[in-house]
């Protein structure tokens, strides 16, 4: 019976010692409320250019329809041209992160992925301390305001202070709600980009398209250089001509 707890402890230690398992848990499991961790994920998906716009629209619709749980679209961007790219930023429930990443990479390739967390424990503690301080101050001023012997001027001053405290309390409460939202949900950014080979072909096509412009620019530069050097060449030719005539006259004497 004494060996059973030791065996169980050993099994737990062995199960949690794998770095891959620890990374997977960090990426998928929500942070404990006592940890106050705000997770952020960044994923790059390599996808053909013609499939980029439909994939972006599908992911956006999945988030708006809460297909993978509570989800809010924070930003969408898309650019075309020779190097098309698209980006989707959402705030999603921790249990839906992996499902949405799998949906984004379906039939494509995950180019890169990163996960990091920000510890909000100190920020949350400061926010709660500030809320407590404002509540106590509001209660104390309310007691003074209810006194019968208070003057009109003091009543006006107390009302002004109470309004300021209430405004501060609302701002602190909003900040606390945002901090709690960052803890309860996770930020996911999905970048869609064309594969490296397709980008190389785009560069070759762009070079071919730029051939005419480069040739025209080179010819224009040569014309300008010729126009700039013509006066210098004419002056040198004149000096050579005068110098030769001077030598001929000198020899004839």
């Amino acid at each position: 019976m004494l060996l059973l707890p030791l065996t169980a402890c050993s099994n737990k230690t062995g199960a949690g010692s794998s770095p891959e398992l620890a990374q997977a848990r960090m990426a998928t499991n929500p942070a404990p409320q006592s940890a106050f961790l705000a997770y952020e994920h960044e994923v790059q998906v390599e996808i053909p250019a013609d499939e980029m716009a439909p994939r972006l629209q599908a992911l956006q619709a999945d988030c708006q329809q809460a297909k993978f749980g509570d989800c809010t679209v924070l930003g969408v961007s898309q650019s075309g041209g020779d190097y098309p790219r698209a980006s989707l930023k959402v705030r999603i429930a921790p249990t839906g992160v992996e499902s949405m990443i799998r949906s984004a990479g379906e039939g494509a390739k995950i180019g890169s992925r990163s996960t990091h967390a920000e510890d909000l424990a100190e920020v949350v503690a400061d926010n709660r301390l500030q809320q407590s301080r404002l509540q106590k101050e509001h209660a104390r001023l309310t007691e003074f305001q209810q006194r019968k012997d208070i003057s009109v001027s003091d009543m006006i001053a107390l009302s002004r202070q109470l309004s300021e405290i209430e405004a501060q309390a609302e701002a602190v409460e909003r900040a606390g709600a945002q901090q709690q939202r960052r803890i309860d949900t996770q930020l996911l950014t999905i970048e869609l980009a064309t594969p490296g080979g397709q980008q190389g072909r785009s560069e070759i096509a762009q070079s071919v398209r730029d051939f005419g412009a480069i040739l025209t620019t080179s010819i224009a530069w040569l014309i300008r250089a010729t126009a700039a050097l013509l006066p210098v060449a004419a002056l040198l030719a004149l000096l050579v001509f005068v110098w030769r005539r001077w030598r001929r006259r000198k020899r004839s004497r």
Side-chain angles (χ1 to χ4, degrees), residues 139-201:
R140 182 174 59 84
L141 292 177
T142 303
E143 291 178 1
F144 279 115
Q145 193 179 34
Q146 293 175 352
R147 292 178 56 176
K148 296 181 180 180
D149 58 344
I150 190 172
S151 63
V152 176
S153 59
D154 291 339
M155 177 69 72
I156 295 174
L158 285 174
S159 299
R160 187 183 300 112
Q161 292 182 12
L162 283 171
S163 299
E164 294 177 356
I165 291 175
E166 289 172 357
Q168 293 178 16
E170 290 178 0
V172 172
E173 186 177 357
R174 287 194 300 268
Q178 180 62 22
Q179 294 163 6
Q180 191 61 44
R181 184 166 179 264
R182 292 183 61 191
I183 295 171
D184 294 338
T185 61
Q186 299 184 6
L187 184 65
L188 173 61
T189 303
I190 300 175
E191 297 282 347
L192 304 178
T194 54
Q198 188 171 356
Q199 291 183 0
R201 291 191 296 270

Side-chain angles (χ1 to χ4, degrees), residues 63-83:
C63 178
Q64 293 172 343
Q65 296 170 6
K67 182 178 179 180
F68 307 117
D70 185 25
C71 184
T72 304
V73 177
L74 301 180
V76 181
S77 65
Q78 186 176 2
S79 60
D82 296 321
Y83 308 100

Side-chain angles (χ1 to χ4, degrees), residues 107-141:
K109 177 184 176 183
I110 303 295
S112 63
R113 175 175 176 174
S114 63
T115 300
H116 67 276
E118 180 182 358
D119 191 355
L120 300 180
E122 185 175 354
V123 178
V124 171
D126 291 342
N127 182 274
R128 292 178 178 177
L129 183 63
Q130 192 172 5
Q131 286 186 17
S132 177
R133 180 182 62 80
L134 290 173
Q135 290 173 359
K136 292 178 180 179
E137 189 172 355
H138 186 275
R140 182 174 59 84
L141 292 177

Side-chain angles (χ1 to χ4, degrees), residues 25-59:
R25 287 177 177 173
M26 178 179 179
T28 57
N29 294 341
Q33 292 300 315
S34 59
F36 301 106
L37 297 178
Y39 282 89
E40 297 183 4
H41 310 270
E42 295 180 0
V43 181
Q44 185 180 38
V45 180
E46 296 182 357
I47 188 172
D50 56 345
E51 300 179 11
M52 188 174 297
R55 181 66 56 89
L56 180 64
Q57 294 176 0
L59 291 172

